[in-house]
Amino acid sequence: MSQAARQRSGNLPDINQRNADWYIDKLVQYLVFLSGISAIVLIVGIFVFVTIEGLGFLFEDFSFREFFLSPWWEPTDEDEPTYGILALMAGTASVTGLAMLVAIPFSLGSAIYVAEFASGKKREFLKVLIELLAAIPSVVWGFIGLSIMNPLIIDLFDVPVGLNILNAGIILGLMAAPIMTSISEDALKAVPDRYREAAEALGGTRWQVIYKTVLPAAKNGLLGGVLLGVGRGFGETMAVLMATGHAINIPGSVFDSVRALTATIAAELGETAVGSPHYQALFTIGIFLFSITFVINLSADLIVRGIRKS
Amino acid sequence: MDMNTEESIDAAVGLAIHTDALNLWYGDFQALYDVNLDIKKGRVTSLIGPSGCGKSTFLRSINRINERLGYVRIEGAIDVFGNNIYAPEVELVQVRKQVGMVFQRPNPLPASIRENILFGHKLHNRERKYSRDDEDEIVEESLRQVLLWDKVKDNLRRKATGLSLEEQQKLCIARLLPVKPSVLLMDEPCSALDPKGTAAVEELIWELRGKYSILIVTHNMAQARRASEECIFMLMGKVIEHTNTADMFVTPQHQETADYIEGRYG
Ligand SMILES: Nc1ncnc2c1ncn2[C@@H]1O[C@H](COP(=O)(O)OP(=O)(O)O)[C@@H](O)[C@H]1O
Ligand SMILES: [Mg+2]
């Protein structure tokens, strides 16, 4: 404020006075902005860190052919370590695939029930229950796989080991189902009621209305839900580590034990020398996983967002 | 639908809809009181009255779409061409087939124009397989009846939700026709349209009279006057007056009707 202006204002309250509220407001704005961008900073930071750690391997020992096409993951071989992740990819893919076979009908069914049939208290109760299910720690699911599913599978199917694709696929399917249910339910709820009313007034039964009108109208959101489930499956570590049997294997049936990409990192990282080729190879797997889940989640998010907008 | 004696009586005097002491509650709130109405076959009957007087509620009980809400309770009877649609043995799907409904906001399904037209048709004709040609014919005929064919004939695969509101509303009328309803209910079908669209849809409704018995809710008295032969005035859940439209607007029999027509209820 200029000297002249100050003189003119005389005894009037100084309208340019900044009091404590002004500073608090600025500070809060700043903090909120910081936490807002922290997500971006963290993502970029993690990606950079993982990339740097894996970089040495990428430039020296990395062979595209061996890495993606060899089924031999033998990083500790004294003479000739090999770093092939084909079997690990097959493990992750087969477990995730089975998990989706389990989770899709499950989550779609419960989403339809919650969104279209349940009402009032029942609906609220179910929604809370689904949220709770989603919050069960994955180690608990792994434990269920180890101590309940394992003997059950051995008994039921008369196989020597119960830690296999079947076990992990079911566990992972149940784990992914709640979030998929939530997303699908949102998608169904986002279908305007006018459509249901129109179809019903034309003579559709409840099921025809859902099947012919609501599901087609919600298909993008439902797809987004499935993609998120797939992302969850790729990224899940602990339960998969405990329930797959953790054996490197290109599976021939659901009763074969396999090993997942994530579980490999979790199990081996602690036992490697920092900076060794093995250590760096694990980080390269990390880069690979990160990229895949990033793409899957991003597309799921874009699809789901697309619906919200329209 | 089987012929019973009641039906032949109603048919003789040409009744499309007959209601008998119809009372309706939303939960504890009573929205209709002792509605007794005889709505003639093949006529356009308009339903007027101030907002909240129960016009939509009455209309929506004639195809039982009210029942989507779990808390609606009804007493009394509604006969559509002599059959009580609230009789316990009645199939809801058959009621909906006989009584088509057009809503206030055009509500085409998020599918193509063609699929919208065929939606009801496919629901109700599941035993017989229709060839593509048959279906094309149905689509063309329905769209011609609502004067929409020339506009959309090259875009039948386009999304119906991309049409203008006027076209959407015409489509919503057109998709009822393949199902061959005898009654058409319209709940303020023009209120979302501009004056040009309103005129076009009104004209269409006028074209359809005779073939269908049409009951149209409107808050636009000029529209009721222009586009209906009979007129029902409702107030606070009760029917006050039901006469020829011309008589209603020239010599209303009740003070309330006169007040409403003169705009004293807003
Ligand atoms: N779904 C509903 N639940 C509870 N009350 C309702 C519902 N729909 C309408 N009503 C009430 O019933 C009365 C009649 O409403 P409505 O038939 O929509 O009137 P109108 O179409 O003549 O404007 C109003 O008082 C309204 O508040
Ligand atoms: Mg209304």
Side-chain angles (χ1 to χ4, degrees):
Chain A
M1 188 187 250
S2 74
Q3 199 64 34
R6 193 162 300 172
Q7 269 167 6
R8 250 184 281 121
S9 65
N11 290 340
L12 291 173
D14 185 350
I15 56 165
N16 282 4
Q17 179 79 49
R18 289 174 175 175
N19 60 15
D21 287 350
W22 187 89
Y23 288 102
I24 291 174
D25 186 58
K26 277 283 163 224
L27 184 71
V28 170
Q29 274 185 32
Y30 191 64
L31 285 177
V32 169
F33 173 73
L34 268 190
S35 33
I37 62 162
S38 67
I40 303 171
V41 172
L42 276 174
I43 287 219
V44 173
I46 289 171
F47 189 71
V48 168
F49 168 72
V50 172
T51 309
I52 289 175
E53 292 297 303
L55 219 51
F57 176 78
L58 269 180
F59 281 122
E60 284 165 33
D61 307 84
F62 182 77
S63 139
F64 187 87
R65 223 185 124 79
E66 177 185 294
F67 191 70
F68 287 107
L69 298 180
S70 160
W72 309 112
W73 177 258
E74 289 170 344
T76 49
D77 192 297
E78 304 262 305
D79 308 323
E80 198 194 341
T82 39
Y83 303 97
I85 64 166
L86 186 66
L88 309 181
M89 287 195 292
T92 291
S94 56
V95 170
T96 306
L98 182 63
M100 287 307 109
L101 285 185
V102 172
I104 290 172
F106 237 106
S107 56
L108 197 60
S110 44
I112 289 177
Y113 181 74
V114 174
E116 303 291 321
F117 291 96
S119 59
K121 283 227 166 63
K122 200 192 280 169
R123 189 174 125 78
E124 292 311 310
F125 175 73
L126 283 172
K127 287 191 73 159
V128 170
L129 206 68
I130 290 166
E131 305 278 306
L132 280 180
L133 273 179
I136 295 179
S138 65
V139 66
V140 172
W141 284 110
F143 180 75
I144 293 174
L146 266 181
S147 61
I148 299 178
M149 297 282 295
N150 183 25
L152 200 64
I153 290 175
I154 294 175
D155 272 1
L156 277 180
F157 299 101
D158 196 23
V159 285
V161 240
L163 297 174
N164 49 29
I165 297 177
L166 183 64
N167 189 334
I170 292 175
I171 291 291
L172 195 57
L174 295 179
M175 281 178 73
I179 177 79
M180 289 167 66
T181 305
S182 274
I183 303 268
S184 310
E185 200 246 345
D186 284 350
L188 296 179
K189 272 285 154 207
V191 175
D193 203 45
R194 297 179 278 139
Y195 295 162
R196 294 185 188 84
E197 203 171 52
E200 223 173 293
L202 281 164
T205 60
R206 200 101 179 251
W207 171 241
Q208 286 167 334
V209 171
I210 292 171
Y211 174 71
K212 295 197 160 197
T213 309
V214 179
L215 291 184
K219 66 175 185 300
N220 282 349
L222 299 176
L223 181 68
V226 171
L227 276 182
L228 272 187
V230 172
R232 175 93 210 251
F234 268 73
E236 174 50 38
T237 308
M238 185 48 86
V240 170
L241 175 62
M242 291 163 81
T244 49
H246 203 56
I248 297 175
N249 210 345
I250 300 246
S253 88
V254 290
F255 298 112
D256 286 346
S257 295
V258 288
R259 194 200 260 206
L261 290 162
T262 47
T264 304
I265 302 178
E268 295 180 4
L269 196 59
E271 294 158 14
T272 57
V274 175
S276 66
H278 184 186
Y279 174 91
Q280 291 176 338
L282 290 175
F283 270 92
T284 306
I285 296 182
I287 299 173
F288 178 58
L289 268 176
F290 189 98
S291 317
I292 290 184
T293 44
F294 184 77
V295 169
I296 291 175
N297 283 317
L298 189 68
S299 19
D301 203 54
L302 289 179
I303 290 173
V304 172
R305 235 169 252 275
I307 320 162
R308 296 245 169 83
K309 232 188 264 160
S310 62
Chain B
M1 221 144 272
D2 53 351
M3 296 280 284
N4 56 29
T5 47
E6 209 184 336
E7 179 174 2
S8 28
I9 293 168
D10 280 350
V13 292
L15 286 190
I17 302 165
H18 165 80
T19 73
D20 197 11
L22 182 69
N23 287 280
L24 183 146
W25 291 261
Y26 291 109
D28 294 332
F29 173 75
Q30 185 164 7
L32 296 179
Y33 294 84
D34 279 327
V35 174
N36 294 297
L37 280 171
D38 289 321
I39 292 164
K40 297 199 182 73
K41 189 175 146 190
R43 294 283 185 95
V44 182
T45 303
S46 61
L47 198 52
I48 61 172
S51 171
C53 71
K55 306 181 294 291
S56 300
T57 301
F58 175 62
L59 205 68
R60 293 165 65 86
S61 49
I62 301 174
N63 68 348
R64 295 181 59 177
I65 195 80
N66 261 338
E67 285 165 37
R68 299 189 69 226
L69 309 167
Y71 52 93
V72 171
R73 190 164 61 83
I74 281 196
E75 277 176 11
I78 300 179
D79 295 348
V80 175
F81 287 95
N83 293 295
N84 180 6
I85 57 166
Y86 282 94
E89 69 276 9
V90 162
E91 278 289 330
L92 213 49
V93 172
Q94 293 305 321
V95 175
R96 306 267 162 82
K97 185 175 169 185
Q98 200 178 4
V99 183
M101 183 154 199
V102 179
F103 294 82
Q104 189 163 357
R105 270 189 74 188
N107 56 358
L109 298 169
S112 71
I113 294 172
R114 186 186 148 88
E115 283 169 78
N116 264 277
I117 298 284
L118 292 171
F119 187 86
H121 169 77
K122 283 181 176 165
L123 283 180
H124 294 290
N125 296 284
R126 287 152 59 98
E127 32 335 298
R128 207 190 121 190
K129 188 95 188 96
Y130 281 79
S131 71
R132 260 203 87 79
D133 286 348
D134 292 341
E135 291 185 344
D136 287 344
E137 203 172 304
I138 290 166
V139 171
E140 175 169 354
E141 197 191 328
S142 309
L143 287 169
R144 275 195 193 284
Q145 283 198 61
V146 299
L147 319 171
L148 204 55
W149 173 251
D150 291 328
K151 249 190 203 150
V152 301
K153 63 172 182 252
D154 299 321
N155 298 313
L156 294 175
R157 312 232 146 249
R158 244 181 63 193
K159 270 225 153 177
T161 39
L163 296 170
S164 76
L165 283 176
E166 172 198 335
E167 291 161 351
Q168 286 187 21
Q169 197 62 304
K170 285 180 166 176
L171 179 69
C172 289
I173 297 174
R175 72 178 171 192
L176 301 175
L177 307 182
V179 179
K180 305 201 168 54
S182 45
V183 175
L184 297 182
L185 307 172
M186 306 193 181
D187 194 349
E188 306 197 18
C190 302
S191 65
L193 310 184
D194 60 15
K196 205 180 117 280
T198 302
V201 172
E202 267 178 26
E203 191 184 322
L204 167 61
I205 294 168
W206 201 242
E207 293 271 317
L208 294 173
R209 88 186 187 286
K211 264 181 118 171
Y212 306 92
S213 309
I214 300 173
L215 187 56
I216 174 172
V217 169
T218 174
H219 59 222
N220 176 341
M221 272 178 285
Q223 183 175 62
R225 224 173 155 162
R226 275 195 304 267
S228 72
E229 296 153 291
E230 297 210 355
C231 191
I232 298 165
F233 172 62
M234 287 181 72
L235 190 62
M236 295 171 72
K238 298 186 178 108
V239 172
I240 305 293
E241 194 162 341
H242 176 193
T243 56
N244 285 328
T245 304
D247 296 340
M248 169 100 63
F249 284 94
V250 179
T251 51
Q253 297 299 305
H254 294 261
Q255 188 57 42
E256 293 99 323
T257 317
D259 287 348
Y260 179 70
I261 289 171
E262 282 159 31
R264 263 173 257 163
Y265 287 101

